[in-house]
Amino acid sequence: MFLANTFRWFLSVGIKFARVVPGQTLSVVSATLISEVALLLASFLPLKVIMLLASPGVPSYFPQVFLEFDRTQLVLLLSVTAIAFYFVYLLAEKLIGYWADCGAQLLLQKSKKITLFENQVEVAVMAYKRYTRCLAAGIFAGLAFLILGIIYPLLTMLLLGSGVGVYLIFVFLYLVNHSFCVRMYEGLGEVIGMVGQAGFLLTFAFIVMDFLFGSPPDLLVAIISIVLVRQALNKLVVLAKDFIALKKQRLKITALFFYGHTLMDENPKNDSGFWPLLEVSRCKEWIQSVLVEATGVEVKGLRISWHQTGVADVVAFDIQAPNKTEALVKRYLVKLFHTKRQALAIHEATLLMAFESGGLPVPRFYGVQKVDSYNCHIFELYSGTKPSPQEAKYGVRFLLAELWSIEPPKDIVNRFRRSRPLLAERINRKMIDRLLIIAEHSDSVVEMKRLKQKLDVIREILSDLPLCIYNPDLVADTMIVLENNKFMATNWGKWSLEPVGAGWPLSKQEWEILPEFFSYAAKKRPTLDGVAIKKIRLSALMFAFERFYERQQFISAIELIPLILECVEEVGEGIGK
């Protein structure tokens, strides 16, 4: 059913192309066929030249027309012909590109659509090229096997029989094995490539065995056969891969080229296994399984409620697990990551496992489990609640200061520095040069140039500051307020290492209470003793400066420059001289 629907769509696209742009489509397909034949001959004729050079005369198995030429004349003729075919190939490729661009542009004009997505012209041209290349590859492979059937019928029957056998095996596995379906969808291109290579090896082995033990054809027929099989299988692999690529962009192609179709949200194949796991009928089963596996304690009578993460494709559940008498209720947080968020899951787990003995303001982490192919993180929730907006505002300050007070493990620091640049390395002169373009017609130019002069001093100050773990996901949905008015965070997938002070809010009120919270952190972390508060403020300013720059909020970044220069004047005059 799936293949039938796909082929029907593929056929409808072809009919659309043939009806709207028949000239361009025929031209592209013809040019593609000419290109393939020219490349085949440009590759095959040099082989004949080498065979001639290795023989004292013209071999008897050469075509009769070749025997009329002198050996030297024939070598020169074949060499010039090979070069000529190569130039025909290059010209055909240029024409393919030109006609494909014309055809795609005309199709877009005929569909009369607004801009649907970025680089839609490139997508349309590539889709049109792929489709016409599929047609040309199919025609070429069909002609190649037709010729092969005439000159070497036994080999042709072997290849066709093997192809049908492989197809039936794949269909059977696809129907009976779900995991095979998933692997096939994700790696179908590689599988098809391997089948093509296996087909060529089968051809080679058959020809060798036929020459040793059977009734082989002429040597020239064998050479032509193996070249034809090689090219035909290559074209079939190209056809299959292009077909898969077109199928993956089916919704975009349909919306671009068909007048009455709109662009719908894509529903990737690998989504089909994720969201059904969240249905009530399945949810309780796998949650109970991962909790038992992670905690080692049998849990029954689970009460499951949705926990909002605020992160796309990361879902979480607040679990209440009473004991047998229901006198004690334990709470757990179970987070499930879509495969699209696997990097986020691994990044979070890397940090949390580095703090297995505690120290990080996070609920107890029980580790990582697998639910089908999805990463699942399990936490034990304490007797906490979701903070109110006012509590969340204080919680952000508390958690920032709490993270400043924690010395990051050396292993985490080393791994992070090998992977990503720190703030001092990310701030560079190119940023200032771009901002100078924005500030060119204002009074900020002088200050910008002063900032550029002080950049080395600033980077040295930032490099000397102790590092801390920074978590950008500190919002009400991802925080828990405990009974002792302390806070914990539940999302750590985007953590980074930044100089202490990074991320502190820049409002006047927050600026005034910064010394209080920094003092709290310094009492718990000896490496913060003696660090001037102005350096902490400079870190907060430069971190915000970079954020504004990355978001192209250039005016906001420029407005921070006077405060940055003020901090530098107070703490950095003697540095770098």
Side-chain angles (χ1 to χ4, degrees):
M1 189 67 177
F2 167 74
L3 282 176
N5 290 336
T6 303
F7 278 117
R8 275 198 296 270
W9 170 79
F10 191 78
L11 181 61
S12 69
V13 173
I15 294 171
K16 178 74 173 180
F17 289 172
R19 189 176 71 250
V20 178
V21 284
Q24 287 85 349
T25 302
L26 181 61
S27 298
V28 173
V29 172
S30 301
T32 304
L33 282 171
I34 292 170
S35 169
E36 297 297 343
V37 172
L39 183 61
L40 175 62
L41 292 172
S43 304
F44 179 67
L45 290 178
L47 180 62
K48 284 189 170 292
V49 172
I50 293 172
M51 293 168 66
L52 272 172
L53 293 174
S55 304
V58 178
S60 59
Y61 52 80
F62 269 42
Q64 188 66 35
V65 67
F66 286 3
L67 300 177
E68 299 176 4
F69 290 89
D70 178 68
R71 175 175 171 274
T72 304
Q73 291 177 333
L74 191 55
V75 167
L76 292 174
L77 179 63
L78 292 179
S79 299
V80 170
T81 306
I83 295 171
F85 276 122
Y86 182 72
F87 279 107
V88 170
Y89 159 75
L90 293 178
L91 177 61
E93 287 295 309
K94 288 289 184 183
L95 291 173
I96 290 167
Y98 172 74
W99 283 323
D101 287 342
C102 292
Q105 292 285 359
L106 188 56
L107 281 164
L108 289 176
Q109 290 173 17
K110 294 282 187 180
S111 65
K112 297 180 180 179
K113 301 290 182 73
I114 62 171
T115 301
L116 300 176
F117 47 85
E118 291 183 11
N119 73 324
Q120 72 173 30
V121 174
E122 290 82 356
V123 170
V125 172
M126 183 54 66
Y128 187 66
K129 280 184 178 179
R130 278 186 171 140
Y131 195 95
T132 49
R133 190 166 60 192
C134 276
L135 293 179
I139 294 170
F140 181 90
L143 291 174
F145 277 108
L146 180 63
I147 295 169
L148 192 66
I150 296 170
I151 64 174
Y152 207 156
L154 197 59
L155 176 60
T156 307
M157 287 189 289
L158 173 68
L159 289 172
L160 292 177
S162 301
V164 171
V166 169
Y167 173 76
L168 292 176
I169 291 170
F170 277 12
V171 169
F172 175 75
L173 291 174
Y174 187 87
L175 293 174
V176 302
N177 191 318
H178 175 72
S179 62
F180 180 79
C181 296
V182 175
R183 287 197 298 271
M184 279 289 291
Y185 182 81
E186 293 175 351
L188 191 55
E190 294 180 8
V191 172
I192 291 170
M194 291 172 60
V195 170
Q197 293 171 2
F200 178 73
L201 289 175
L202 178 65
T203 300
F204 176 73
F206 175 80
I207 291 175
V208 170
M209 296 300 290
D210 200 17
F211 268 83
L212 290 176
F213 306 108
S215 302
D218 293 339
L219 179 61
L220 191 59
V221 170
I223 294 172
I224 292 172
S225 297
I226 202 165
V227 171
L228 279 175
V229 170
R230 181 69 171 180
Q231 292 299 113
L233 291 176
N234 283 344
K235 294 309 146 197
L236 289 177
V237 169
V238 168
L239 187 154
K241 289 184 176 180
D242 282 338
F243 184 83
I244 294 165
L246 289 168
K247 170 63 181 68
K248 288 181 178 179
Q249 291 192 311
R250 176 175 178 171
L251 295 177
K252 287 184 177 180
I253 293 169
T254 302
L256 281 172
F257 295 140
F258 287 83
Y259 183 85
H261 289 261
T262 57
L263 180 63
M264 305 293 290
D265 290 334
E266 295 192 52
N267 183 26
K269 181 82 172 178
N270 55 2
D271 272 355
S272 61
F274 183 73
W275 293 103
L277 285 172
L278 311 183
E279 295 172 2
V280 176
S281 57
R282 296 186 62 187
C283 188
K284 193 170 184 179
E285 180 183 343
W286 66 259
I287 285 177
Q288 183 165 312
S289 175
V290 296
L291 283 177
V292 171
E293 188 71 26
T295 64
V297 178
E298 189 71 28
V299 288
K300 292 185 178 179
L302 300 180
R303 294 194 285 270
I304 302 172
S305 58
W306 183 265
H307 182 93
Q308 188 162 288
T309 66
V311 181
D313 297 311
V314 178
V315 299
F317 296 96
D318 190 330
I319 314 297
Q320 295 187 36
N323 64 1
K324 292 181 181 179
T325 62
E326 296 201 2
L328 177 66
V329 177
K330 280 201 168 188
R331 285 180 64 203
Y332 300 95
L333 178 68
V334 176
K335 291 169 64 178
L336 190 67
F337 296 79
H338 195 285
T339 49
K340 291 184 288 189
R341 293 291 182 175
Q342 187 173 23
L344 207 67
I346 294 171
H347 197 55
E348 177 175 279
T350 300
L351 177 69
L352 299 182
M353 287 191 290
F355 284 89
E356 283 184 312
S357 58
L360 203 64
V362 63
R364 180 183 176 186
F365 181 55
Y366 275 105
V368 180
Q369 297 292 323
K370 279 286 187 180
V371 178
D372 289 350
S373 59
Y374 308 106
N375 287 54
C376 180
H377 293 180
I378 298 97
F379 302 82
E380 181 180 346
L381 289 179
Y382 303 98
S383 54
T385 58
K386 182 179 177 179
S388 67
Q390 193 61 32
E391 288 175 325
K393 188 176 179 181
Y394 173 79
V396 172
R397 303 171 189 156
F398 174 87
L399 287 170
L400 283 172
E402 193 70 26
L403 290 172
W404 294 348
S405 71
I406 298 169
E407 193 77 41
K410 288 184 178 179
D411 179 57
I412 287 290
V413 173
N414 291 335
R415 292 172 66 182
F416 187 89
R417 297 192 72 160
R418 284 195 296 267
S419 307
R420 300 181 186 177
L422 298 176
L423 180 60
E425 298 161 344
R426 300 196 301 264
I427 301 293
N428 55 64
R429 283 183 168 78
K430 288 183 180 179
M431 298 169 66
I432 313 300
D433 290 337
R434 181 169 294 181
L435 291 179
L436 274 168
I437 298 173
I438 310 300
E440 199 171 29
H441 304 291
S442 70
D443 297 330
S444 303
V445 174
V446 175
E447 291 177 333
M448 292 289 297
K449 290 180 178 178
R450 283 182 59 204
L451 179 63
K452 191 172 182 179
Q453 292 172 354
K454 298 290 184 182
L455 198 58
D456 288 338
V457 173
I458 293 170
R459 294 176 64 177
E460 191 168 345
I461 294 170
L462 295 175
S463 297
D464 288 341
L465 280 172
L467 294 173
C468 68
I469 295 161
Y470 173 70
N471 185 352
D473 282 340
L474 298 181
V475 294
D477 284 337
T478 65
M479 287 192 289
I480 300 170
V481 56
L482 305 179
E483 293 175 351
N484 57 2
N485 206 32
K486 291 189 175 183
F487 290 79
M488 290 190 167
T490 57
N491 276 15
W492 294 87
K494 298 178 182 178
W495 69 270
S496 61
L497 286 181
E498 306 292 349
V500 171
W504 189 262
L506 301 183
S507 68
K508 184 177 179 181
Q509 181 184 359
E510 303 289 351
W511 220 233
E512 290 172 352
I513 62 175
L514 173 59
E516 175 189 343
F517 282 87
F518 176 69
S519 177
Y520 164 82
K523 289 176 182 176
K524 299 175 69 175
R525 185 176 174 184
T527 53
L528 297 182
D529 284 345
V531 177
I533 192 66
K534 280 292 182 182
K535 292 185 178 181
I536 304 302
R537 285 178 172 156
L538 179 63
S539 173
L541 286 166
M542 294 309 298
F543 185 79
F545 177 84
E546 185 207 23
R547 284 295 176 91
F548 285 140
Y549 176 85
E550 292 296 331
R551 295 170 184 167
Q552 293 198 10
Q553 295 174 297
F554 296 138
I555 301 299
S556 299
I558 291 170
E559 288 172 352
L560 293 180
I561 292 174
L563 290 173
I564 293 171
L565 291 173
E566 181 185 336
C567 284
V568 175
E569 292 294 334
E570 293 191 24
V571 301
E573 285 295 333
I575 300 177
K577 289 186 176 180

